[in-house]
Amino acid sequence: MKLSSFAPVLGCFLLTSGLTLAVEQPPNVVFVITDDQGYGDLGFTGNPLIKTPHLDKLAGESVWLEDFHVAPSCSPTRSAMLTGRWTNRTGVWHTFFARAMMYQDEVTIADHFQAAGYSTGMFGKWHLGDHYPYRPQDRGFDEAYCIRGGATGVTADYWDNNYFDDHHFRNGQATPSTGYSTDVFFAESQRFIKEQVERKKPFFAWIATTAPHKPWVCPPEYSSLYPNQNRQAAAFYGMLTNIDDNVGRLRTFLEKQGVADNTIFVFTTDNGSVGPKQFNAGMRGGKISPYEGGHRVPLALHWPDGGYSKHVRIPELTHMVDVLPTLLDLCDVEPCKDVALDGRSIRKLLAGEGDPSFDWESRVVISDSQRLQSPRKWKDSSVMSGKWRLIRGDELYDIRLDPGQQHDLADEHPEQVARLRGWYENWWAELEPTFSRTSHVYVGSPETAELQITALQWIDQPPPWNQGLIRSPRLPSGRGEKPTKPARFNGHWAVHVTRTGDYDFEVRRWPSESGLRIREGVHALPVTPGCLPSYSAVRGTALPIISATLRIDDKDLETKPVGEDDAFVRFTHRLTQGEHRFSPYFSLKPSGDAAVGHELGCYYLTVTQSKE
């Protein structure tokens, strides 16, 4: 009997029957997804420079999806994988503007596996919300060990993280680590897996590396493997070879634990490459591009006990939304909630003999790169079906005859343009009503006794997305004879207050862990030999901040001066239950003949309910 056949579920919670039954051990799942590694960034796919022997070996022992597609950037791909639904449907179509916070009512693959009795853990990059109720521990993961934000050293990440000896967040608590972060994430996953093996529990482990996303930093012994490359290429390739070594160590570890044969091991990446454009497998475009190089990525699936231990190539068009239904199907896990999926199980394809029960050649899927606060119709879209690719609604390519997408066939095949445009029109009409939803962070609930939020979640104003921009802000400046008109801060945080009451606000330029005062600068950290500078290698400039103002719901409620020794400014204000817009800002000393200075949004905000 399968585990799911005697473990009924209600909602997303496991209800045990209390009976003792002999059961077949369900398969475990290890899912590895790297960040910004493209299809051509592997030895197996033909790259003549990158050393990836362990991943090449895995590919040679796996089912390989040849025509597998994702979103062209980080958060959207993760949302599609976790939900089995079009990423725009889930509220995730950007990497900030609160559009990397998956709608609260989405159900994840971790919810399903957790409900079926699996232990669930995620390690590395989450990038779908750093605050309740969007964190991994709120979305079905028993254990979460991750960074905040979308890359090492971004604004939401722990201050001065630079890939070495970083602080990561274990179920929300900042925890120091020792070593290179990719090594640490894999080591944490092994600890988790070992614990589940000892407990004789099936496990779902999601390992999402931050590498090779910028900044391109790796241990010097890896960049030195590429002495004939420039510093950028050597660091990027070194990061990839380090990932490869970690995959090799993890597979050896699974063998030693005696679970390798009954573990579904999946390797894939989240979008096209950002690396040196020396090899792209003949494709056009890279990350965020609607062309093939932006969203066609590798996927290898290895599971000896399931019969998937030989190299089999699957030519049919598949998509990241297919991962959830396929893994549930392979593990015989019943969904914990009835959700309309956009993906479908590809289990019947995995033998490499096709699937006559479905017309795969006529299937239509989509990848689009919005990267806007609100989606725009046709923007950087690729509507795909069989050999056809419709780009932005007007360019048509036959990908089998023209893999480099150089010859537009729209005029020669108007019937295909019409068919794919019709599909997109229906898709857009179905999803467009959901775009107006906003994912609010919560304050005042038991889970949010203290809310710490950063500028990365600003709405209506582009945020400083990495700590280099916090250290050295891009401020408005006057040109010519007239000074620039003082700039108004137009951004806000969307917040849901769960309980009416008095709340304390602490506004900061620097995060609390930095120990820095509002008006002071900070020195740059050294650069790792053989690598590019991290975001902490930027000198932090002192700013002439003279006051802080608490603005809520577009009203300036109170202003206080900022002194030389102030690390933060505290306000207290009564909030009513419901949705609010928080927009605290600093005022800079006026320049020239201006009566007032520029407004600078407070980069870091802590909100707590006042003690009675």
Side-chain angles (χ1 to χ4, degrees):
M1 296 179 63
K2 298 291 186 182
L3 180 65
S4 59
S5 65
F6 75 92
V9 295
L10 179 61
C12 287
F13 298 92
L14 179 67
L15 303 178
T16 57
S17 65
L19 300 176
T20 302
L21 299 174
V23 299
E24 174 186 332
Q25 182 69 16
N28 308 299
V29 179
V30 171
F31 194 97
V32 178
I33 181 169
T34 64
D35 194 6
D36 286 355
Q37 179 178 12
Y39 186 92
D41 295 332
L42 287 162
F44 180 81
T45 57
N47 193 302
L49 300 173
I50 296 178
K51 299 176 175 64
T52 55
H54 299 291
L55 287 168
D56 298 345
K57 182 175 186 295
L58 173 66
E61 300 170 349
S62 299
V63 176
W64 182 265
L65 303 187
E66 285 197 304
D67 200 7
F68 179 70
H69 294 262
V70 296
S73 66
C74 314
S75 301
T77 288
R78 286 160 170 74
S79 178
M81 179 264 164
L82 287 167
T83 66
R85 287 154 59 84
W86 302 127
T87 183
N88 294 2
R89 190 192 299 279
T90 71
V92 179
W93 54 78
H94 204 339
T95 53
F96 43 80
F97 285 137
R99 298 310 187 187
M101 296 159 62
M102 191 164 58
Y103 289 149
Q104 182 181 352
D105 52 2
E106 290 294 328
V107 182
T108 73
I109 193 169
D111 289 322
H112 298 305
F113 275 96
Q114 186 182 63
Y118 278 68
S119 292
T120 54
M122 75 80 47
F123 309 91
K125 173 174 173 173
W126 174 243
H127 207 187
L128 291 169
D130 299 324
H131 307 90
Y132 176 82
Y134 310 103
R135 307 165 301 178
Q137 60 266 38
D138 306 320
R139 313 307 293 255
F141 285 100
D142 298 314
E143 182 168 342
Y145 182 85
C146 58
I147 67 164
R148 285 182 174 172
T152 297
V154 298
T155 301
D157 200 13
Y158 196 89
W159 185 248
D160 279 348
N161 272 1
N162 65 358
Y163 272 108
F164 291 99
D165 300 339
D166 289 349
H167 281 71
H168 302 131
F169 293 86
R170 189 186 302 279
N171 293 335
Q173 297 300 313
T175 306
S177 70
T178 301
Y180 183 60
S181 62
T182 302
D183 298 338
V184 172
F185 295 143
F186 275 90
E188 285 288 332
S189 73
Q190 291 180 26
R191 175 197 53 76
F192 168 80
I193 290 170
K194 184 177 181 181
E195 290 176 358
Q196 310 322 312
V197 172
E198 291 172 350
R199 296 171 62 199
K200 295 181 170 53
K201 283 202 68 176
F203 56 83
F204 176 89
W206 192 44
I207 306 166
T209 68
T210 53
H213 194 294
K214 289 182 177 179
W216 291 343
V217 178
C218 67
E221 60 268 27
Y222 282 95
S223 57
S224 66
L225 294 173
Y226 300 94
N228 298 323
Q229 301 300 312
N230 62 34
R231 188 171 60 159
Q232 290 89 342
F236 181 77
Y237 295 158
M239 295 174 89
L240 292 173
T241 300
N242 173 267
I243 292 171
D244 183 79
D245 279 351
N246 274 289
V247 168
R249 284 193 291 267
L250 178 57
R251 295 189 68 199
T252 299
F253 169 81
L254 293 171
E255 292 172 359
K256 291 181 178 179
Q257 293 295 312
V259 295
D261 288 349
N262 198 33
T263 294
I264 300 172
F265 194 106
V266 179
F267 172 85
T268 189
T269 75
D270 67 349
N271 48 246
S273 182
V274 298
K277 304 303 181 186
Q278 295 170 315
F279 181 80
N280 200 28
M283 297 184 295
R284 177 178 176 181
K287 179 178 180 178
I288 76 172
S289 169
Y291 297 101
E292 207 78 348
H295 47 83
R296 180 188 172 210
V297 300
L299 187 141
L301 184 150
H302 175 81
W303 179 26
D305 282 359
Y308 309 122
S309 60
K310 295 182 180 179
H311 182 65
V312 176
R313 289 178 176 263
I314 309 302
E316 285 83 359
L317 177 66
T318 52
H319 194 283
M320 187 63 91
V321 294
D322 300 329
V323 167
L324 182 151
T326 301
L327 290 178
L328 296 188
D329 192 4
L330 291 174
C331 297
D332 197 19
V333 168
E334 293 294 329
C336 69
K337 190 175 181 180
D338 187 16
V339 178
L341 300 180
D342 295 308
R344 61 184 301 114
S345 173
I346 63 170
R347 182 173 187 168
K348 292 180 179 179
L349 288 177
L350 297 181
E353 299 173 356
D355 173 18
S357 68
F358 180 72
D359 184 2
W360 291 93
E361 187 67 13
S362 298
R363 184 195 192 191
V364 183
V365 298
I366 187 169
S367 177
D368 72 338
S369 180
Q370 289 293 337
R371 300 188 70 79
L372 297 169
Q373 186 164 309
S374 299
R376 190 172 70 229
K377 195 173 184 180
W378 293 109
K379 182 180 181 299
D380 289 338
S381 57
S382 176
V383 183
M384 299 169 275
S385 182
K387 66 181 182 178
W388 299 108
R389 303 291 186 266
L390 181 68
I391 307 299
R392 301 189 183 98
D394 53 21
E395 301 173 35
L396 183 72
Y397 299 96
D398 181 336
I399 206 69
R400 294 171 189 163
L401 296 178
D402 179 24
Q405 294 175 287
Q406 299 298 312
H407 306 290
D408 182 2
L409 301 178
D411 291 341
E412 299 176 36
H413 294 277
E415 76 289 353
Q416 293 297 336
V417 173
R419 178 174 76 94
L420 298 179
R421 284 185 65 91
W423 184 94
Y424 183 95
E425 291 285 357
N426 292 334
W427 174 82
W428 182 266
E430 180 183 347
L431 268 61
E432 187 178 22
T434 69
F435 297 159
S436 61
R437 296 177 61 186
T438 296
S439 293
H440 291 75
V441 297
Y442 280 50
V443 67
S445 68
E447 298 85 357
T448 53
E450 179 179 87
L451 170 66
Q452 294 183 348
I453 193 167
T454 76
L456 197 64
Q457 287 81 30
W458 282 348
I459 298 175
D460 289 338
Q461 180 151 324
W465 69 272
N466 67 65
Q467 293 176 15
L469 298 175
I470 299 294
R471 287 168 164 264
S472 183
R474 296 171 180 170
L475 301 176
S477 61
R479 292 186 178 183
E481 297 180 358
K482 294 184 179 180
T484 299
K485 180 181 178 181
R488 188 181 196 277
F489 174 56
N490 295 312
H492 72 274
W493 286 294
V495 180
H496 178 78
V497 177
T498 62
R499 184 168 61 173
T500 297
D502 292 335
Y503 288 82
D504 295 328
F505 296 76
E506 289 185 359
V507 298
R508 301 173 181 268
R509 179 198 170 180
W510 309 103
S512 58
E513 66 266 20
S514 72
L516 296 170
R517 299 184 297 274
I518 291 173
R519 297 180 64 173
E520 72 175 310
V522 62
H523 65 277
L525 297 186
V527 177
T528 302
C531 296
L532 298 188
S534 66
Y535 300 126
S536 58
V538 176
R539 184 177 67 86
T541 55
L543 297 178
I545 295 172
I546 59 174
S547 65
T549 299
L550 181 64
R551 178 183 289 158
I552 297 179
D553 298 331
D554 301 320
K555 295 180 180 179
D556 289 358
L557 303 176
E558 186 177 4
T559 298
K560 291 184 177 182
V562 173
E564 288 292 338
D565 294 329
D566 290 338
F568 60 87
V569 176
R570 179 181 285 122
F571 300 93
T572 299
H573 183 70
R574 189 162 187 80
L575 296 172
T576 57
Q577 182 181 9
E579 296 175 355
H580 295 275
R581 297 156 62 99
F582 292 177
S583 311
Y585 65 89
F586 294 119
S587 291
L588 305 185
K589 183 179 179 180
S591 60
D593 297 328
V596 296
H598 296 300
E599 294 179 2
L600 177 71
C602 299
Y603 295 146
Y604 299 90
L605 172 66
T606 300
V607 185
T608 55
Q609 189 156 19
S610 304
K611 296 181 179 179
E612 300 295 339

